Amino acid sequence: MYRSYVMICGSENCSSIPGHEHLYNEFQNQIKAAGLEKEVMVLTGSCLGICHEGVGPNVAIFPEGSIYTGVKPEDVAEIVYEHLLKDNRVTRLLFDETVTIGNARSVEDTEFYKKQCRIAMRNCGIIDPKNIKEYIAKDGYQSLYKVLTEMTPDEVIDVVLASGLRGRGGAGFPTGRKWKFASGNRGKVQKYVCCNADEGDPGAFMDRSVLEGDPHSVIEAMAIAAYAIGSDHGYVYVRAEYPEAVEHLEIAIAQAKEYGLLGKNIFGTEFNFELEIKLGAGAFVCGEETALMTSIEGKRGEPRPRPPFPASKGLFSVPTILNNVETYANIPPIILKGAEWFSSIGVPSSTGTKVFALGGKIRNTGLVEVPMGTTLRTIVEDIGGGIPNGRSFKAAQTGGPSGGCIPASLIDTPVDFDSLSKIGAMMGSGGLIVMDDSTCMVDIAKFFLEFIVEESCGKCTPCRVGTKRLLELLTKITDGKGTMEDLNRIEELASFMKDNSLCALGQTAANPVLSTIKYFRDEYIEHIENKHCPAGVCKNLLTYHIDPKLCRGCTACAKACPVHAIVGTVKNPHAIDTSKCIKCGSCIEKCRFGAIERK
């Protein structure tokens, strides 16, 4: 039994930082030099959710609960000597408020954590994901044992139904209902259980972090789902760009087989379950369930018409259920603690918690898990720490490229499935991008639409052609060539795409455009009528000017200009030839006197 555990973040975000590979060895060496090798254990864990430091890996020391951020190999000796030997804290490296005078506070007391509730991420950063014994020590596989020895398959489904758990992959369909639809004819037909770990939204890494930090929770949940519907085979579809997640999952599957938790006669029962990993090539459309299953079958990943739905005719044309990583991660604690416990968290229509990848113009970026119904203000201001650099909150985009933008006027909106739907946004898989008042909302809509155009599979005309026409109209507006009639065309085309696209990706592709038109119509009008971008973002609508009263004639701007558009002599005011200016901004970056303005 060790008195302290040093947990080094091993997520892709941290492990890609130079020097990370030396941290583990340096801790081992310094602990041995201090004579603490029998008292302190060093482990590599997963993401604790704190990603905003970005200058080095995070290191947590348990059971004290201290978190050091941006740790470099040269910091290790000081941490070992001060913290582990002398019980002091290295305050210059401590995260946020994890220290008080004399003693470390619990991490849960910090502003970042105290309004969170970790269920799906309960073990991430706490256990060694490559050691099944640590998962078992955290009640791992007790839920599987319980369902196999104490519950019938229908009772399992009833518990999931009663919990109110809805799919965390985007659509929010009740998980128990999906399982119930696929549960008929148990033992008479082949069935499959699939996990969607394809996670294609820009900036989203929730599922990756769970697979990296707690892969056994997904394996256990898939086995429970298989028992509930009468399946003996499962697939985890994970993108190949997640090598750390794939490696940890492979190790976990091998360990589960070694311990008899996968394979034949699990826990001495007649239940059998095998699990395979299928690597995806990163196509965004393969996040759609029928496209994912088509890809597993070895075909081009394209969606299929529904009905029939996968619960009756899915993978290899047999009944199949598909849930994403986060959905599965909730299953073991629901079985162990009961449906009433889970449904008491969140709001009646959206129970439990939701994990968000918080990014953009906000102080604390990273992963956060909050009870459903938590307001956007709480996430942005309390957990996220607000907007940096003295800027103000303008909007938040939820739901990935197919989501909607929520304006500052609606910052007190509860974040749950129904509340977001009412204001034209959506939960999606959990991306949450924060924007400040320097953001151009027309440009944001264009950015997400460019992604959709690039990722459209092209199978159906409304999506393949419609997204391109939408992008052309937005580009026309940001170039200063738009008309008010173009806004009507955008809304008409978006409505057609919603009604006629084959899959949900095409049906929701116009959401960022429609939500920005709804809440920021004045910006579109400013672009169209005054040929002006209020945020100063759209390059073709910008002009650069040098204030002769402020210009010192230092020539720095002229030297920086790549097209020689700035003229003037030394110690005399300069001027910009707007016919030559390519609006690259190099002159503003070089000017030390604030003489150049962009309008």
Side-chain angles (χ1 to χ4, degrees):
M1 188 70 178
Y2 294 88
R3 67 169 172 85
S4 294
Y5 297 85
V6 177
M7 183 69 75
I8 302 171
C9 180
S11 73
E12 272 188 40
N13 289 347
C14 284
S15 62
S16 62
I17 298 172
H20 177 278
E21 64 276 10
H22 302 305
L23 269 187
Y24 181 89
N25 292 334
E26 187 63 18
F27 265 108
Q28 292 280 35
N29 293 336
Q30 292 295 335
I31 287 170
K32 185 176 181 180
L36 297 174
E37 63 267 35
K38 294 183 179 181
E39 299 179 49
V40 181
M41 175 179 279
V42 184
L43 303 166
T44 300
S46 180
C47 186
L48 281 163
I50 308 165
C51 304
H52 64 284
E53 295 295 333
V55 293
N58 297 324
V59 174
I61 299 183
F62 298 107
E64 298 96 304
S66 298
I67 297 179
Y68 293 109
T69 58
V71 180
K72 300 174 183 177
E74 54 265 34
D75 299 319
V76 173
E78 184 179 2
I79 293 173
V80 171
Y81 180 74
E82 290 293 336
H83 188 136
L84 297 174
L85 262 181
K86 298 174 64 178
D87 199 28
N88 295 325
R89 303 297 177 261
V90 183
T91 54
R92 66 183 179 86
L93 296 172
L94 276 171
F95 164 67
D96 193 23
E97 305 157 350
T98 57
V99 67
T100 57
I101 298 175
N103 292 296
R105 294 171 56 186
S106 168
V107 171
E108 286 75 13
D109 290 334
T110 66
E111 289 297 324
F112 184 78
Y113 280 112
K114 68 183 180 183
K115 293 186 179 178
Q116 294 192 47
C117 178
R118 289 165 72 93
I119 298 177
M121 296 188 65
R122 61 195 177 276
N123 293 326
C124 293
I126 306 298
I127 66 171
D128 180 354
K130 294 180 283 189
N131 188 341
I132 191 174
K133 293 180 180 179
E134 294 203 14
Y135 179 69
I136 291 172
K138 287 284 187 177
D139 298 329
Y141 291 104
Q142 285 195 27
S143 295
L144 179 59
Y145 179 80
K146 180 179 179 180
V147 302
L148 294 183
T149 61
E150 300 177 19
M151 302 173 70
T152 67
D154 286 331
E155 286 173 340
V156 174
I157 293 175
D158 288 341
V159 169
V160 178
L161 279 168
S163 73
L165 176 66
R166 295 172 66 171
R168 294 328 196 223
F173 190 81
T175 304
R177 285 176 59 189
K178 181 182 290 189
W179 292 13
K180 193 171 185 65
F181 290 153
S183 64
N185 296 316
R186 293 188 187 97
K188 298 179 181 179
V189 296
Q190 176 65 54
K191 298 178 184 180
Y192 291 104
V193 172
C194 293
C195 175
N196 182 354
D198 193 51
E199 196 169 51
D201 292 1
F205 56 103
M206 301 78 62
D207 291 350
R208 187 194 79 196
S209 292
V210 172
L211 285 181
E212 286 179 354
D214 195 17
H216 285 285
S217 66
V218 177
I219 295 172
E220 181 178 14
M222 293 183 71
I224 291 169
Y227 174 74
I229 72 167
S231 170
D232 62 3
H233 205 103
Y235 292 93
V236 180
Y237 187 88
V238 57
R239 53 181 45 222
E241 294 98 321
Y242 286 177
E244 194 94 16
V246 173
E247 178 192 356
H248 289 190
L249 188 59
E250 288 174 340
I251 292 171
I253 289 175
Q255 290 176 339
K257 288 181 178 178
E258 181 184 349
Y259 276 64
L261 301 168
L262 283 177
K264 302 288 186 181
N265 306 120
I266 298 173
F267 283 121
T269 68
E270 296 181 356
F271 175 64
N272 308 319
F273 184 60
E274 298 287 349
L275 191 58
E276 293 184 51
I277 299 174
K278 288 289 184 179
L279 298 182
F284 181 66
V285 72
C286 286
E288 195 276 338
E289 61 179 1
T290 60
L292 183 151
M293 293 177 194
T294 304
S295 180
I296 291 178
E297 292 170 355
K299 305 170 188 174
R300 178 185 172 94
E302 293 179 334
R304 301 192 288 245
R306 297 180 303 176
F309 293 95
S312 58
K313 189 177 181 181
L315 184 61
F316 301 116
S317 297
V318 301
T320 306
I321 59 171
L322 173 72
N323 296 111
N324 82 324
V325 171
E326 185 183 345
T327 308
Y328 281 124
N330 282 285
I331 294 297
I334 287 174
I335 297 297
L336 206 57
K337 298 183 180 181
E340 187 175 344
W341 162 79
F342 189 81
S343 61
S344 69
I345 302 168
V347 295
S349 63
S350 301
T351 59
T353 60
K354 181 72 189 79
V355 181
F356 290 98
L358 188 60
K361 304 295 181 66
I362 193 162
R363 295 183 191 279
N364 301 335
T365 61
L367 290 180
V368 302
E369 184 172 1
V370 295
M372 289 280 196
T374 300
T375 65
L376 182 60
R377 182 186 298 277
T378 297
I379 297 173
V380 172
E381 295 183 356
D382 297 339
I383 299 173
I387 313 300
N389 305 319
R391 314 292 310 204
S392 59
F393 173 72
K394 184 173 185 177
Q397 204 268 355
T398 63
S402 301
C405 291
I406 305 170
S409 60
L410 296 176
I411 194 172
D412 290 309
T413 299
V415 179
D416 60 71
F417 290 107
D418 297 340
S419 296
L420 291 180
S421 179
K422 287 177 183 177
I423 62 172
M426 62 186 291
M427 184 79 71
S429 60
L432 203 165
I433 308 298
V434 177
M435 292 163 271
D436 65 16
D437 54 7
S438 67
T439 305
C440 172
M441 302 310 296
V442 186
D443 183 67
I444 281 292
K446 179 182 170 184
F447 167 79
F448 283 112
L449 200 55
E450 285 173 339
F451 179 86
I452 291 292
V453 168
E454 182 71 22
E455 292 292 338
S456 172
C457 75
K459 185 173 183 178
C460 72
T461 303
C463 180
R464 182 182 69 249
V465 178
T467 54
K468 289 182 180 179
R469 296 294 85 82
L470 277 181
L471 182 57
E472 288 171 0
L473 289 169
L474 283 180
T475 302
K476 184 180 176 184
I477 292 173
T478 57
D479 284 348
K481 301 174 183 178
T483 66
M484 291 303 296
E485 187 179 350
D486 290 329
L487 285 184
N488 296 328
R489 290 173 179 168
I490 287 173
E491 291 172 324
E492 181 181 354
L493 182 54
S495 177
F496 179 83
M497 290 170 57
K498 182 178 181 180
D499 293 338
N500 296 280
S501 292
L502 176 60
C503 76
L505 299 184
Q507 293 161 10
T508 59
N511 280 354
V513 184
L514 293 177
S515 63
T516 51
I517 290 177
K518 178 179 180 180
Y519 294 116
F520 301 95
R521 195 177 187 90
D522 57 330
E523 284 196 37
Y524 279 85
I525 294 173
E526 185 72 9
H527 281 70
I528 292 170
E529 294 189 346
N530 298 324
K531 313 303 179 187
H532 174 240
C533 175
V537 172
C538 298
K539 183 183 289 189
N540 289 335
L541 299 182
L542 300 179
T543 55
Y544 288 74
H545 300 276
I546 297 178
D547 186 339
K549 296 179 181 179
L550 297 177
C551 181
R552 304 291 181 86
C554 70
T555 73
C557 60
K559 293 176 181 177
C561 181
V563 294
H564 308 293
I566 300 177
V567 296
T569 57
V570 178
K571 295 184 179 181
N572 291 304
H574 285 47
I576 297 176
D577 184 345
T578 56
S579 66
K580 293 182 179 180
C581 179
I582 60 172
K583 306 167 185 178
C584 65
S586 297
C587 55
I588 289 182
E589 293 177 4
K590 291 296 182 180
C591 182
R592 293 173 294 163
F593 309 105
I596 305 175
E597 59 180 346
R598 179 170 50 197
K599 295 183 179 179

